[in-house]
Amino acid sequence: MHQWHGVAGEGDVLVWPDGCRDLIVVVPPSEAPAVVRTGLDLRAQRIAVVPGTAFVGLRCAPGMRWAWDGRVAGASVAQRLHVGATSPPGLRAWLARLRRSPEDGATLLEEAVERWGRPPDPSIASLLAESLEGGSALGATPAAAARTLRRRLREATGAPPTFWRTLHRARAAARLLAQHRRPPGDVALCTGFADQAHLTRAMRRWFDTTPAALQRGRTSAAELLHGPDAFTLLGVPSPSPSPWARDRA
């Protein structure tokens, strides 16, 4: 897990998919604080917030569960945490303490992890790495291996292997575009896209932008891609650029 914090300025907050399910304390300037648990984002989102709203969050690796979650670690939209009939003991009192002392949000999040957090199964890292390899090492026939991988990864994380493969590749390509002056065609080649058009479609799908726009706004893009994502939290490396692409950069 990775703890982060920030304060909203003017305009919407832009969020890019990172494969994580965060637990976030949201403190508006003139309203009671709330706790939000995020789902798996499928595309870029612009979230309208009041300027000056403070955030303290825990970025959690895929498969992280909480005592108040349902049976599946679902890829749902963000939901506000509230007390219900099936809530774990102590949650109501914890939320009341947060509302009284929102400045203690970071400490209270750490307490929530200790009391109600359910860390990811250690096998998720290998399942995720296997999904990026195409499921070739699970044994049995290729078709049976693919079915097993789909089932196990969806049960563990709430998303199938195709989600993780395409997100991993898209984030790797976006980082190269934002951090280096490589031609988009070369970036497409060294991150596994068929061509530049394929890369452009992926950037539009995941980040609502284009390779050219990423390079023009490389500073803000690099900031959005800077924090840990699902893959770095689980120790899954980014694709290595091919020597040919490095030579041409």
Side-chain angles (χ1 to χ4, degrees):
M1 284 181 289
H2 168 76
Q3 192 170 100
W4 57 271
H5 58 85
V7 178
E10 297 290 337
D12 297 343
V13 173
L14 178 61
V15 178
W16 279 353
D18 56 26
C20 299
R21 297 187 71 205
D22 290 12
L23 188 67
I24 308 172
V25 174
V26 183
V27 188
S30 57
E31 298 178 21
V35 180
V36 174
R37 46 182 173 157
T38 67
L40 294 177
D41 294 326
L42 304 180
R43 59 186 60 84
Q45 295 190 59
R46 291 188 178 274
I47 302 173
V49 296
V50 177
T53 297
F55 301 90
V56 179
L58 284 178
R59 184 160 296 168
C60 304
M64 179 71 180
R65 295 172 186 258
W66 301 91
W68 52 73
D69 279 336
R71 187 170 59 87
V72 178
S76 60
V77 296
Q79 295 179 331
R80 180 175 294 208
L81 184 62
H82 65 279
V83 178
T86 60
S87 298
L91 183 60
R92 184 186 302 275
W94 182 85
L95 286 171
R97 288 165 56 203
L98 174 66
R99 295 188 182 104
R100 288 195 303 270
S101 305
E103 67 277 6
D104 295 333
T107 300
L108 288 167
L109 283 177
E110 292 177 358
E111 179 182 327
V113 172
E114 294 178 1
R115 297 179 65 178
W116 303 301
R118 306 291 185 265
D121 188 297
S123 67
I124 289 179
S126 60
L127 286 173
L128 192 56
E130 181 62 26
S131 77
L132 304 180
E133 294 292 328
S136 59
L138 283 177
T141 64
R147 287 195 298 271
T148 298
L149 180 61
R150 283 197 298 271
R151 175 180 57 78
R152 292 177 63 188
L153 200 58
R154 184 183 286 278
E155 288 175 351
T157 68
T162 51
F163 170 89
W164 297 110
R165 283 197 296 270
T166 54
L167 176 61
H168 183 256
R169 185 168 54 186
R171 286 185 63 88
R175 280 194 294 269
L176 287 176
L177 289 165
Q179 296 171 0
H180 304 278
R181 294 180 179 275
R182 291 183 177 170
D186 286 1
V187 171
L189 175 68
C190 69
T191 51
F193 291 95
D195 51 30
Q196 184 172 333
H198 187 198
L199 171 68
T200 299
R201 289 195 297 273
M203 295 301 100
R204 288 189 183 279
R205 173 198 165 178
W206 289 104
F207 309 124
D208 194 26
T209 189
T210 64
L214 271 170
Q215 292 189 316
R216 286 196 302 270
R218 58 171 51 90
T219 300
S220 58
E223 289 177 355
L224 285 167
L225 295 163
H226 173 70
D229 60 16
F231 310 104
T232 55
L233 286 174
L234 288 174
V236 178
S238 296
S240 298
S242 68
W244 184 87
R246 285 198 297 268
D247 292 343
R248 288 175 57 92

